[in-house]
Structure formats: structure tokens, C-alpha cells
Amino acid sequence: MRRLRIAVGLILSAVAALGLVLSVNPTAARAALNNVGTGGYWLVASDGGIFNFGGAPYFGSTGAIHLNAPVVGMAATPDGHGYWLVASDGGIFNFGDAAFMGSMGGSHLNRPVVGIAATPDGKGYYLVASDGGIFTFGDAKFQGSMGASHLNQPVVGMAAAPGGGYWLVAADGGIFTFGVPYFGSMGASHLNKPVVGMASTNDGKGYWLVASDGGIFNFGDAGFFGSTGAIRLNQPVVGMAATFHGSGYWLVASDGGIFNFGDAGFYGSKGNCVLNKPVVGVAANG
């Protein structure tokens, strides 16, 4: 009985503590609960088809719609209740609680858009073109770009920092920083395969780069949890996403194959399926 009373007391204390958090900052508490233990991920194909796994809900896709330009990437809202897709012409498609805040769909671009990143509060997003040009919408603040600069290799992706600012990464692993710290790059190194994407840690104090062979390059407080760099792949890796706590990551190949490392759980893949169009990106849900 004494042990039972102690256990009940601990449970009541935990409930009281949770109530205190909710009363002090309900928004932060709900966000924390939404982001802990949900797991799962979305894959997006170049036709905008969405494949959801684990705790990642399906909110819609453009898979059955004629597109002016192929989809090249996606970003999820912070609460995991929506996502944006971006096409190479800068067109934006929003689903769930992902609000539409503008696009480049009807504008002339010097180079195609190659990626998208959401702001920390989900009230804005950045688009990046292969020349490093940046387009901002909502509360995403413009802090510079590489649009007017000569690049050794095209930009292939970007990541937004929790406190504002962003990193761009080029195919040679070169990093360009705007309003964020520089932690290193692969720009001066020989790579077996080109870099195809990046992800930042949740605290903004590090980032990972991923190459098309699944090789991982980690900088700052981004830990190395494994790679597919020494493994023969059926199809090249096209992107990556980090877990909420930054203790793991997923890699996705163009056939929808998933490779998980660290605390990134495996919830399924499209690796053994026939796809209408190749997968071009992945986004994490917690």
C-alpha cells in the first residue's frame, strides 16, 4: 500500500506540474507536446504526390493535378499539421494549416527554385533558387543571397535557423550563411558524389549535409549517426530531414527508399513500389 501511495503521489505531482506549464505558457506547452513522440515523415514526388508514414497525417497533394513545373521540395509546419510544396517555377501549394503567403509562380526567374524552408513559427517561408537567389514570404526576413555572385556549383538546398537567418548549400558542399553562424563546409574538399541537401539542428548550432550517395558531413553540434556512403544504392539520395531533438535523421532516395539513423525511427518507405514520378524530398513530423 505504501508503494501504491507513493506511485499515486508521483503521478499527481506530474499532472500538477503539467498543469503549471500549461497555465504559464499554454502555447509553448502544446507545441512541445505536439513535437515530442509524434514521429513520422512525408515524402514528396516531383508531381506533388505525397506519401505519409508514421504519425505524419495526409493533408492533400497535387498528384492528380497538371503542374506548370515539377515539385522540387517541401517543408512542414512546426506543429506538423500541414505542409508546403514548392515547384521549380516558385509555385507554392499549401495543405493543412500551412498558410499561403505568396509565391513566385507567375514571375520570371533567373534560375529555377530548388528548395523551401519554413520560419520557426510557421508564419513564413523562404524559397531558394539554384543561383542562390532568395525569395521571402510572410514573416521570413530577407538577410541576403548569392543571386548576384559567381558560384562554383549551383545551390541545391537551404535550412532556416530557429532564431532567424538561413544557410544555403551548393552541390560542392560550399556553405553560404546569412544571419547565422558558419560551422564549416565541404567546399574545398573532393567529394565522391555531389551534395543534394542539408538540415540544421533544432538549436541552430550545427547542420548536416548529405550527398547523393548518402554520405553525411556534420558540422557544429550536429552529430554523426551513420550514412549510406559505403553502401550501393538502388537510386541516389535526394534529401534529408532531422528529428526534432537532433539526435538522428532520415535520408530519402529518388525511389522513395528511407534510411534512418540515430533516433529517427523507420515507419515505412516506397522503395519497393512503382512510382509515377521520382521522390524529390522528405519532411519530418517531430
Side-chain angles (χ1 to χ4, degrees):
M1 287 297 293
R2 183 172 179 272
R3 290 181 179 176
L4 178 60
R5 286 195 296 272
I6 292 174
V8 171
L10 290 173
I11 292 171
L12 292 175
S13 297
V15 170
L18 179 59
L20 178 61
V21 172
L22 289 171
S23 65
V24 173
N25 192 342
T27 301
R30 282 193 293 269
L33 290 173
N34 282 334
N35 280 299
V36 174
T38 54
Y41 40 80
W42 298 273
L43 311 184
V44 62
S46 64
D47 62 355
I50 292 289
F51 310 103
N52 57 307
F53 300 93
Y58 176 79
F59 298 108
S61 79
T62 64
I65 301 172
H66 171 74
L67 302 179
N68 294 328
V71 167
V72 293
M74 74 179 299
T77 57
D79 63 6
H81 296 158
Y83 42 76
W84 299 272
L85 313 183
V86 64
S88 62
D89 64 354
I92 290 288
F93 308 97
N94 56 303
F95 300 93
D97 68 354
F100 178 80
M101 288 167 275
S103 80
M104 298 301 294
S107 304
H108 169 74
L109 301 178
N110 293 329
R111 291 289 185 269
V113 167
V114 294
I116 181 173
T119 57
D121 61 6
K123 296 179 180 179
Y125 43 79
Y126 310 89
L127 309 184
V128 62
S130 63
D131 62 355
I134 291 288
F135 310 100
T136 59
F137 300 93
D139 67 356
K141 296 180 180 178
F142 179 80
Q143 300 200 39
S145 79
M146 298 301 294
S149 304
H150 170 74
L151 302 178
N152 294 328
Q153 294 289 325
V155 168
V156 294
M158 72 178 300
Y166 40 86
W167 298 272
L168 312 183
V169 63
D172 62 357
I175 291 287
F176 309 102
T177 61
F178 299 94
V180 288
Y182 174 78
F183 299 110
S185 81
M186 297 302 294
S189 305
H190 170 74
L191 303 179
N192 292 329
K193 295 291 182 180
V195 167
V196 294
M198 74 178 301
S200 65
T201 56
N202 195 44
D203 61 8
K205 296 179 181 179
Y207 44 76
W208 299 271
L209 313 183
V210 63
S212 64
D213 62 356
I216 292 288
F217 311 100
N218 55 305
F219 301 92
D221 68 354
F224 179 79
F225 303 106
S227 79
T228 63
I231 301 173
R232 183 181 179 278
L233 303 179
N234 293 329
Q235 295 293 328
V237 167
V238 294
M240 74 177 299
T243 61
F244 178 74
H245 295 290
S247 298
Y249 41 76
W250 296 274
L251 313 183
V252 64
S254 63
D255 63 355
I258 288 287
F259 309 97
N260 56 306
F261 301 94
D263 68 352
F266 180 78
Y267 302 104
S269 79
K270 302 298 289 186
N272 294 319
C273 302
V274 176
L275 303 178
N276 293 330
K277 295 292 182 180
V279 168
V280 294
V282 59
N285 180 39

